[in-house]
């Protein structure tokens, strides 16, 4: 089977050298494939005279059948590839990142590529069936996959100016144990990650307002209910407008949003466009 496309190319060009150039092989490798095929079939397919080749009668008949069969395979493969390019691309993303970073710029994707169809699903590292997944972590190399940093995902506590004015002093992270902290079940880990060794004592002494869904802690923080731990990228607008204030800049935890996908996805024109758009629009 490996030799058949080589045989088809040699017969089409009637030249070992031209077939080698088309297939990105050496002339010696092409010649070996032809000899292997002839040995397997037990007959000669080409006559070789004066640096030229010509079909033997049986070789010409065989080549006609092989060319037709390979042509059918190429046509079916092309049709399937077109179908894959037309189906929706499924991208997994953290819900708040999708809401705050992707949705505001999503219109530019469709403006540049009106025919693209993308379905975003809120999931984590292992979004089943997704063409690509955005997650918070490190861009770790995995065989057969591409992992590339999309944007920063730095963790920092934030609160409203109103809360800051009426709350107890906030001079050091240790002072948080005397405050109201906001958290959702999904992102309790973020407080643990940021507090580090202080986590156990802070959790024992602070008052928590627990919220069912991630993202609600941002709304609660803007309303002055307490202090939320957030990815700074997600609250850039609120910080710029003065709705929120970032605390303890020297203690920010550096993390990243990473886009992971299987290497074969790059065969799709639509996926390559989406990847380029993500890196340009979302990373800004």
């Amino acid at each position: 089977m490996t030799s058949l496309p080589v045989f088809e190319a040699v017969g089409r060009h009637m030249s070992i050298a031209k077939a080698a150039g088309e297939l990105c092989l050496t002339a010696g490798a092409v010649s070996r494939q032809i000899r292997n095929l002839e040995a397997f079939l037990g007959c000669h397919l080409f006559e070789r005279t004066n640096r030229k080749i010509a079909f033997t009668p049986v070789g010409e008949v065989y080549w006609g059948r092989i060319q037709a069969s390979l042509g059918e395979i190429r046509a079916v493969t092309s049709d399937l590839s077109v179908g894959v390019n037309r189906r929706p691309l499924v991208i997994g993303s953290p819900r708040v990142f999708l809401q705050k970073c992707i949705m505001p710029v999503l219109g530019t994707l469709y403006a540049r590529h009106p025919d693209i169809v993308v379905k975003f699903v809120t999931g984590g590292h292992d979004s089943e069936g997704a063409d690509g997944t955005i997650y918070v972590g490190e861009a770790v190399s995995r065989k057969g996959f591409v992992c590339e940093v999309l944007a920063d995902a730095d963790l920092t506590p934030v609160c409203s100016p109103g809360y800051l004015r009426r709350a107890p002093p906030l001079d050091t992270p240790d002072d948080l144990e005397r405050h109201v902290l906001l958290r959702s079940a999904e992102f309790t880990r973020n407080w643990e990650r940021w507090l580090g060794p202080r986590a156990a004592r802070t959790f024992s002494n602070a008052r928590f307002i627990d919220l069912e869904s991630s993202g609600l802690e941002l709304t609660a923080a803007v309303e002055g209910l307490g202090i939320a731990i957030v990815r700074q990228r997600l609250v850039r607008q609120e910080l710029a407008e003065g709705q929120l204030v970032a605390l303890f800049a020297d203690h920010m935890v550096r993390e990243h949003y990473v886009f992971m996908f299987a290497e074969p996805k790059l065969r799709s024109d639509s996926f390559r466009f989406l990847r380029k758009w993500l890196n340009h629009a979302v990373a800004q």
Side-chain angles (χ1 to χ4, degrees), residues 123-155:
H125 204 309
D126 300 313
S127 298
E128 186 175 353
D131 295 287
T133 302
I134 300 168
Y135 66 92
V136 174
E138 299 299 324
V140 180
S141 297
R142 289 178 54 189
K143 186 176 181 181
F145 287 84
V146 176
C147 292
E148 52 195 19
V149 172
L150 262 187
D152 60 83
D154 301 336
L155 275 176

Side-chain angles (χ1 to χ4, degrees), residues 80-81 83-93 116-135 142 144-148 150 258-275 278:
L80 178 60
S81 178
V84 168
N85 275 325
R86 288 177 178 171
R87 73 168 178 80
L89 295 171
V90 179
I91 305 298
S93 171
I116 199 169
V117 181
V118 184
K119 177 183 178 182
F120 289 98
V121 296
T122 54
H125 204 309
D126 300 313
S127 298
E128 186 175 353
D131 295 287
T133 302
I134 300 168
Y135 66 92
R142 289 178 54 189
F145 287 84
V146 176
C147 292
E148 52 195 19
L150 262 187
V258 177
F259 186 41
M260 181 182 73
F261 56 88
E263 288 180 352
K265 298 297 180 183
L266 292 172
R267 298 171 187 165
S268 163
D269 292 338
S270 295
F271 186 87
R272 289 197 304 272
F273 186 92
L274 174 66
R275 176 199 184 192
L278 270 176

Side-chain angles (χ1 to χ4, degrees), residues 92-108:
S93 171
R95 191 177 73 82
V96 184
F97 181 79
L98 174 61
Q99 176 186 345
K100 302 284 286 185
C101 295
I102 293 180
M103 290 302 178
V105 295
L106 190 56
T108 62

Side-chain angles (χ1 to χ4, degrees), residues 13 21 29 37 46 48 55 93 116 133 137 176 204 266 268-269 277:
H13 291 291
L37 182 59
F46 294 102
R48 299 162 178 82
F55 281 124
S93 171
I116 199 169
T133 302
L176 288 170
S204 297
L266 292 172
S268 163
D269 292 338
W277 173 82

